[in-house]
Protein backbone atom coordinates (compact mmCIF):
# COMPACT_ATOMS: atom_id res chain seq x y z
CA UNK A 1 0.00 0.00 0.00
CA UNK A 2 2.85 2.42 0.79
CA UNK A 3 4.44 1.84 -2.62
CA UNK A 4 1.10 2.33 -4.35
CA UNK A 5 0.51 5.53 -2.37
CA UNK A 6 3.94 6.92 -3.25
CA UNK A 7 3.51 5.98 -6.91
CA UNK A 8 0.10 7.68 -7.05
CA UNK A 9 1.48 10.76 -5.31
CA UNK A 10 4.36 11.04 -7.79
CA UNK A 11 2.04 10.50 -10.73
CA UNK A 12 -0.40 13.15 -9.48
CA UNK A 13 2.44 15.65 -9.00
CA UNK A 14 3.71 14.96 -12.54
CA UNK A 15 0.23 15.30 -14.05
CA UNK A 16 -0.42 18.60 -12.27
CA UNK A 17 2.97 20.05 -13.19
CA UNK A 18 2.62 19.04 -16.84
CA UNK A 19 -0.84 20.63 -16.92
CA UNK A 20 0.62 23.95 -15.77
CA UNK A 21 -0.40 23.84 -12.12
CA UNK A 22 1.88 25.86 -9.84
CA UNK A 23 3.08 25.51 -6.28
CA UNK A 24 2.76 21.71 -6.51
CA UNK A 25 4.03 20.76 -3.09
CA UNK A 26 4.05 17.88 -0.65
CA UNK A 27 4.14 18.73 3.05
CA UNK A 28 5.96 15.76 4.63
CA UNK A 29 4.12 14.17 7.57
CA UNK A 30 1.08 16.29 6.71
CA UNK A 31 -0.48 17.22 3.35
CA UNK A 32 -0.08 14.64 0.58
CA UNK A 33 -0.09 17.37 -2.06
CA UNK A 34 -1.45 20.81 -2.74
CA UNK A 35 -1.33 22.87 -5.88
CA UNK A 36 -2.83 25.90 -7.61
CA UNK A 37 -4.37 25.46 -11.03
CA UNK A 38 -3.16 27.50 -14.03
CA UNK A 39 -6.33 29.62 -14.08
CA UNK A 40 -5.51 30.82 -10.54
CA UNK A 41 -8.55 29.32 -8.95
CA UNK A 42 -8.22 28.53 -5.26
CA UNK A 43 -5.53 26.08 -4.23
CA UNK A 44 -6.55 22.43 -3.98
CA UNK A 45 -5.47 20.15 -1.15
CA UNK A 46 -5.21 16.52 -2.32
CA UNK A 47 -5.39 13.46 -0.07
CA UNK A 48 -4.45 10.15 -1.68
CA UNK A 49 -5.95 6.88 -0.52
CA UNK A 50 -5.20 3.43 -1.86
CA UNK A 51 -8.20 1.15 -1.78
CA UNK A 52 -8.53 -2.59 -1.44
CA UNK A 53 -11.70 -4.62 -1.54
CA UNK A 54 -12.32 -4.14 2.17
CA UNK A 55 -10.99 -0.74 3.28
CA UNK A 56 -13.22 1.76 1.45
CA UNK A 57 -15.15 2.92 4.52
CA UNK A 58 -12.05 3.35 6.68
CA UNK A 59 -10.01 5.07 3.97
CA UNK A 60 -12.80 7.47 3.01
CA UNK A 61 -13.45 8.46 6.61
CA UNK A 62 -9.75 8.99 7.18
CA UNK A 63 -9.42 11.07 3.99
CA UNK A 64 -12.29 13.38 4.91
CA UNK A 65 -10.92 13.95 8.42
CA UNK A 66 -7.41 14.57 7.09
CA UNK A 67 -8.53 17.02 4.42
CA UNK A 68 -10.55 19.07 6.91
CA UNK A 69 -7.65 19.05 9.38
CA UNK A 70 -5.07 20.02 6.76
CA UNK A 71 -7.17 22.93 5.53
CA UNK A 72 -7.68 24.13 9.11
CA UNK A 73 -4.07 23.79 10.30
CA UNK A 74 -2.02 24.35 7.13
CA UNK A 75 -4.28 25.95 4.54
CA UNK A 76 -7.00 28.53 4.34
CA UNK A 77 -10.77 28.42 4.23
CA UNK A 78 -10.68 29.14 0.49
CA UNK A 79 -8.71 25.96 -0.29
CA UNK A 80 -10.64 23.32 -2.20
CA UNK A 81 -10.47 19.68 -1.09
CA UNK A 82 -9.99 16.61 -3.28
CA UNK A 83 -9.62 12.94 -2.45
CA UNK A 84 -7.57 10.96 -4.96
CA UNK A 85 -8.37 7.25 -5.00
CA UNK A 86 -6.85 4.27 -6.75
CA UNK A 87 -10.25 2.75 -7.55
CA UNK A 88 -13.89 3.88 -7.65
CA UNK A 89 -16.04 4.04 -4.52
CA UNK A 90 -19.72 3.46 -3.84
CA UNK A 91 -22.04 6.09 -5.29
CA UNK A 92 -23.51 6.92 -1.88
CA UNK A 93 -20.05 7.70 -0.54
CA UNK A 94 -19.40 9.90 -3.59
CA UNK A 95 -22.62 11.76 -2.81
CA UNK A 96 -21.45 12.31 0.78
CA UNK A 97 -18.13 13.77 -0.39
CA UNK A 98 -19.90 16.08 -2.83
CA UNK A 99 -22.26 17.22 -0.06
CA UNK A 100 -19.14 18.10 1.95
CA UNK A 101 -17.64 19.97 -1.07
CA UNK A 102 -14.90 17.39 -1.56
CA UNK A 103 -14.11 16.43 -5.16
CA UNK A 104 -13.09 12.89 -6.13
CA UNK A 105 -10.54 11.84 -8.73
CA UNK A 106 -9.67 8.22 -9.42
CA UNK A 107 -6.15 7.47 -10.64
CA UNK A 108 -5.95 3.71 -11.18
CA UNK A 109 -2.53 2.09 -11.09
CA UNK A 110 -2.61 1.40 -14.84
CA UNK A 111 -5.14 3.90 -16.10
CA UNK A 112 -5.99 7.49 -16.79
CA UNK A 113 -7.25 9.95 -14.15
CA UNK A 114 -11.02 10.28 -14.07
CA UNK A 115 -13.12 12.92 -12.34
CA UNK A 116 -15.95 11.28 -10.40
CA UNK A 117 -19.17 13.17 -9.83
CA UNK A 118 -20.45 16.63 -10.67
CA UNK A 119 -18.12 18.56 -8.38
CA UNK A 120 -14.93 17.00 -9.75
CA UNK A 121 -16.19 17.48 -13.33
CA UNK A 122 -16.89 21.13 -12.57
CA UNK A 123 -13.44 21.72 -11.06
CA UNK A 124 -11.25 19.53 -13.27
CA UNK A 125 -13.28 18.40 -16.30
CA UNK A 126 -14.05 14.73 -16.99
CA UNK A 127 -10.40 13.86 -17.76
CA UNK A 128 -8.41 15.83 -15.21
CA UNK A 129 -5.13 17.39 -16.25
CA UNK A 130 -5.25 15.95 -19.74
CA UNK A 131 -6.45 19.09 -21.57
CA UNK A 132 -3.22 21.03 -21.08
CA UNK A 133 -1.01 18.01 -20.49
CA UNK A 134 1.75 17.08 -22.87
CA UNK A 135 1.65 13.82 -24.87
CA UNK A 136 4.40 12.16 -22.81
CA UNK A 137 1.92 11.77 -19.94
CA UNK A 138 0.37 8.82 -21.78
CA UNK A 139 3.39 6.86 -20.56
CA UNK A 140 2.84 7.64 -16.85
Amino acid sequence: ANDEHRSTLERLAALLSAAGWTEVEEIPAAVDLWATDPLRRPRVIFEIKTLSGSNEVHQCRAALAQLLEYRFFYGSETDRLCIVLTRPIADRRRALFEQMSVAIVVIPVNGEPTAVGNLAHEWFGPNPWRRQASPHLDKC
Side-chain angles (χ1 to χ4, degrees):
N2 286 340
D3 289 342
E4 188 175 356
H5 183 276
R6 172 56 52 191
S7 173
T8 304
L9 175 70
E10 290 171 357
R11 186 160 177 223
L12 175 60
L15 287 165
L16 292 169
S17 294
W21 285 56
T22 60
E23 302 166 347
V24 179
E25 188 177 5
E26 177 183 2
I27 311 297
V31 176
D32 276 347
L33 206 66
W34 63 22
T36 303
D37 87 15
L39 301 176
R40 292 289 177 209
R41 293 186 185 128
R43 180 174 57 189
V44 178
I45 300 174
F46 297 94
E47 176 61 28
I48 297 166
K49 291 296 179 193
T50 58
L51 298 181
S52 69
S54 62
N55 70 355
E56 177 181 316
V57 171
H58 172 76
Q59 289 289 70
C60 286
R61 287 177 179 166
L64 180 58
Q66 287 171 277
L67 284 167
L68 293 171
E69 182 178 291
Y70 298 157
R71 181 169 57 190
F72 182 82
F73 286 116
Y74 304 106
S76 77
E77 63 185 41
T78 61
D79 288 336
R80 292 179 171 180
L81 305 177
C82 181
I83 180 173
V84 176
L85 303 167
T86 56
R87 57 179 13 175
I89 57 173
D91 192 53
R92 58 186 236 159
R93 201 156 308 284
R94 180 214 39 87
L96 170 66
F97 277 116
E98 284 196 344
Q99 180 66 32
M100 303 291 295
S101 297
V102 176
I104 302 168
V105 172
V106 174
I107 302 180
V109 173
N110 294 314
E112 295 301 322
T114 304
V116 176
N118 294 330
L119 185 62
H121 280 238
E122 178 186 324
W123 290 0
F124 309 125
N127 301 305
W129 315 300
R130 300 274 303 162
R131 290 171 302 202
Q132 303 96 346
S134 59
H136 80 275
L137 288 178
D138 292 334
K139 299 175 185 168
C140 286

